[in-house]
């Protein structure tokens, strides 16, 4: 078996899974980056959210619909804001299976 580079692997992932693979890959990269920020500051706390907490507050969807007017980008970025492993895994599993249904019904 021939070794392949990371770019060949990603290209194969895209060819095999299409846009679904790209969305899962983007989610994994953002999750890893947020995880590095959280590890670097020693975890998230309510007293000291640090840089990771501030980033999550900006990209996650606001709890109050009125605040959506002040951060409209969160409509898109909230789907990439995962900071707990179980939250990330269950969302990616749900994304995988639900998107397969939509691709079969509507096409790529």
């Amino acid at each position: 078996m021939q070794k392949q580079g990371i770019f060949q692997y990603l290209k194969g992932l895209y060819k095999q899974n299409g846009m679904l693979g790209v969305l899962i890959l983007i989610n994994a990269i953002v999750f890893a980056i947020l995880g590095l920020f959280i590890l670097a500051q020693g975890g998230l706390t309510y007293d000291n959210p640090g840089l990771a907490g501030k980033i999550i507050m900006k990209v996650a969807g606001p709890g109050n619909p009125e605040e959506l007017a002040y951060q409209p980008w969160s409509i898109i970025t909230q789907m990439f804001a995962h900071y707990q492993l179980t939250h990330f895994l269950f969302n990616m599993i749900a994304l995988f299976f639900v998107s397969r249904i939509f691709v079969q019904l509507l096409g790529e």
Side-chain angles (χ1 to χ4, degrees), residues 27-65:
N27 271 290
I29 290 170
V30 172
F31 175 72
I33 291 170
L34 284 175
L36 288 175
F37 280 125
I38 291 170
L39 284 175
Q41 74 180 26
L44 286 177
T45 62
Y46 289 109
D47 299 343
N48 183 16
L51 181 60
K54 291 176 184 174
I55 292 172
I56 290 170
M57 293 293 285
K58 289 295 181 188
V59 298
N64 185 355

Side-chain angles (χ1 to χ4, degrees), residues 75-96:
I75 293 171
I76 303 296
T77 60
Q78 70 178 344
M79 74 176 103
F80 302 108
H82 304 93
Y83 59 93
Q84 293 177 331
L85 182 61
T86 54
H87 179 216
F88 172 73
L89 289 176
F90 286 124
N91 278 359
M92 293 305 103
I93 290 169
L95 174 66
F96 179 78

